[in-house]
Amino acid sequence: MAVKSYKCPNCGAGLEFKPAHQKFRCDYCLSEYSEKEILDKDKDHIETNEVDKSLVEQDHLASYNCNSCGATVVTDDTTTSTFCYYCHNPVILSDRLIGSFQPNKMIPFTVDKDQAQKTFLNWVSKNRFVSSDFYSSSQLEKITGVYLPYWWADSKIDVDYEGEKNTSKVWTNGDTEYTETNKYRVIRQGQIEISNIEEVAFSKIEKDLLDGIAPYNQKKVRDFSMPYLSGFFAEQYDISKEEVTHKIDNQIKKISNILISNTILDNNQMKVLKDQNNIVSKKMSYTLLPAWILTYQYEGKTFVFAVNGQTGKSFGELPISNKKILGTAVGVFVVTTLVLLLGGMFIW
Ligand SMILES: [Zn+2]
Ligand SMILES: [Zn+2]
């Protein structure tokens, strides 16, 4: 498997993308580089190790040799960007980013680890039932930046809508009753473009969680560029384009209907004669979006917290400490009993 690492041109250490600086930085000599500098460097010196001999594909795991320390590192079947477990060198599994698995677009991280941790602490502090080891520093260290795969669709829709309605107004003037009937016909024909319709392409993280940190600012999307993965985890899609086609088509048609009805002043009692929207073209882009994810095991249950790596929006479930709840329940019980006793005293 081809393994790729972006190395510091100055000292040779692994380079990571730093969201707060929007630059690539070496943590050892503190040199900073732009994307262009990294890509230019990459052209004349490709840091790709072909380690086919050492590659072992076992069930869902693959192992490769770290090109910094030589250790064997095992990854999950969908991972495309990771770290060496031993020397922490960022490693990109470039073989998993080619062909149909080559991403088209991405939104790079703008929220860094520090910010994600602060968001988490702020969120935890609002909940008094949380067990304190949930936000210990060792727990906070586990928050992980990961690029998650999505399908985005750009489409053109032919619209052909026709509706009809009658309105009438009755009034009297002297002995005469007047009725005025107006007959309207609404026609909407043409082509509309709907872009960036989104569906999650990864099944290993709950959709509710990902919906909870949506939306992303789609204006900031850019073409995929491999160096941005350096210093983060990245995953391959495991839900195919075909599997989401139906959902995406439904979304497109729904939006197209809304757009049409927004152009009609009054939809009340409209008799629809024709309502067609045909998707005439659709381009699907494989897009990577950034998220910070923290998972936590508590009393046999897994809890997940996520922060949108672009906007900072967070979502998650908190484990609730039974001890703290019990404390409050006892408090409530005592107060209730007192009130009842007092009530009783008054009756007597
Ligand atoms: Zn360096
Ligand atoms: Zn290593």
Side-chain angles (χ1 to χ4, degrees):
M1 182 185 292
V3 176
K4 194 171 185 70
S5 288
Y6 293 94
K7 303 250 163 129
C8 173
N10 188 35
C11 74
L15 285 176
E16 294 185 5
F17 178 65
K18 303 289 179 188
H21 305 255
Q22 291 292 306
K23 287 254 172 121
F24 296 83
R25 196 172 65 180
C26 167
D27 281 335
Y28 294 88
C29 71
L30 303 179
S31 308
E32 280 194 344
Y33 306 92
S34 69
E35 183 201 4
K36 191 177 177 299
E37 286 169 319
I38 300 294
L39 290 173
D40 285 351
K41 203 84 207 156
D42 202 33
K43 267 179 220 146
D44 38 82
H45 176 70
I46 294 182
E47 206 33 87
T48 302
N49 278 6
E50 289 295 339
V51 285
D52 282 336
K53 270 181 240 155
S54 64
L55 172 71
V56 193
E57 288 272 5
Q58 284 178 333
D59 297 328
H60 292 296
L61 296 170
S63 66
Y64 63 92
N65 285 358
C66 169
N67 56 11
S68 274
C69 73
T72 302
V73 179
V74 176
T75 71
D76 207 352
D77 58 338
T78 52
T79 304
T80 56
S81 183
T82 183
F83 294 86
C84 168
Y85 189 76
Y86 301 92
C87 70
H88 205 69
N89 184 49
V91 183
I92 297 168
L93 310 182
S94 48
D95 272 4
R96 290 180 174 179
L97 291 160
I98 53 176
S100 62
F101 284 108
Q102 173 164 20
N104 308 106
K105 299 175 180 180
M106 74 186 305
I107 293 178
F109 273 87
T110 47
V111 172
D112 64 11
K113 191 171 188 168
D114 244 31
Q115 244 177 300
Q117 288 173 336
K118 276 182 197 146
T119 307
F120 174 68
L121 284 176
N122 185 34
W123 177 71
V124 165
S125 70
K126 287 182 190 146
N127 195 313
R128 61 203 172 107
F129 293 131
V130 176
S131 122
S132 57
D133 54 342
F134 186 61
Y135 47 93
S136 64
S137 54
S138 64
Q139 175 65 17
L140 273 176
E141 257 320 294
K142 288 188 214 147
I143 198 160
T144 303
V146 53
Y147 281 103
L148 296 172
Y150 285 76
W151 291 111
W152 275 15
D154 293 330
S155 61
K156 286 193 177 120
I157 304 106
D158 269 344
V159 171
D160 192 357
Y161 173 91
E162 219 173 309
E164 195 180 71
K165 81 184 221 176
N166 298 323
T167 58
S168 54
K169 199 161 68 176
V170 183
W171 72 94
T172 47
N173 188 0
D175 290 340
T176 318
E177 185 179 274
Y178 297 88
T179 305
E180 183 189 295
T181 304
N182 284 309
K183 200 169 189 167
Y184 296 94
R185 176 158 289 201
V186 179
I187 296 171
R188 296 287 181 268
Q189 276 174 333
Q191 199 167 77
I192 36 185
E193 283 182 29
I194 300 176
S195 339
N196 298 344
I197 299 300
E198 186 177 294
E199 276 296 331
V200 178
F202 191 57
S203 66
K204 294 180 192 172
I205 291 183
E206 262 183 58
K207 201 179 173 305
D208 285 357
L209 187 81
L210 298 176
D211 288 344
I213 59 168
Y216 284 86
N217 176 3
Q218 299 183 331
K219 284 183 191 139
K220 293 282 163 68
V221 73
R222 50 157 295 152
D223 287 341
F224 173 71
S225 172
M226 206 185 291
Y228 285 98
L229 302 187
S230 195
F232 296 96
F233 287 86
E235 294 289 340
Q236 252 179 356
Y237 68 81
D238 67 352
I239 299 174
S240 71
K241 227 188 274 195
E242 291 71 29
E243 284 171 83
V244 297
T245 297
H246 185 65
K247 281 189 201 164
I248 284 196
D249 288 0
N250 281 346
Q251 276 202 63
I252 291 171
K253 290 190 171 177
K254 221 185 204 168
I255 293 169
S256 143
N257 280 334
I258 292 169
L259 289 173
I260 293 298
S261 70
N262 282 351
T263 69
I264 301 167
L265 274 181
D266 185 6
N267 245 336
N268 253 340
Q269 294 180 344
M270 182 77 74
K271 190 174 156 206
V272 178
L273 304 173
K274 207 197 278 177
D275 186 10
Q276 287 174 352
N277 38 21
N278 295 317
I279 299 170
V280 286
S281 79
K282 190 172 61 191
K283 193 180 154 244
M284 298 274 257
S285 303
Y286 175 23
T287 307
L288 297 182
L289 300 180
W292 289 97
I293 308 246
L294 182 65
T295 51
Y296 179 70
Q297 301 282 335
Y298 188 74
E299 292 182 346
K301 217 185 145 196
T302 305
F303 295 89
V304 193
F305 174 79
V307 180
N308 184 314
Q310 181 201 25
T311 65
K313 186 182 176 198
S314 64
F315 182 82
E317 278 181 288
L318 283 174
I320 287 170
S321 158
N322 284 336
K323 244 189 247 163
K324 289 195 183 177
I325 288 188
L326 194 65
T328 309
V330 169
V332 170
F333 177 74
V334 170
V335 171
T336 316
T337 315
L338 269 176
V339 171
L340 282 177
L341 281 176
L342 284 173
M345 274 158 69
F346 280 115
I347 288 169
W348 282 327

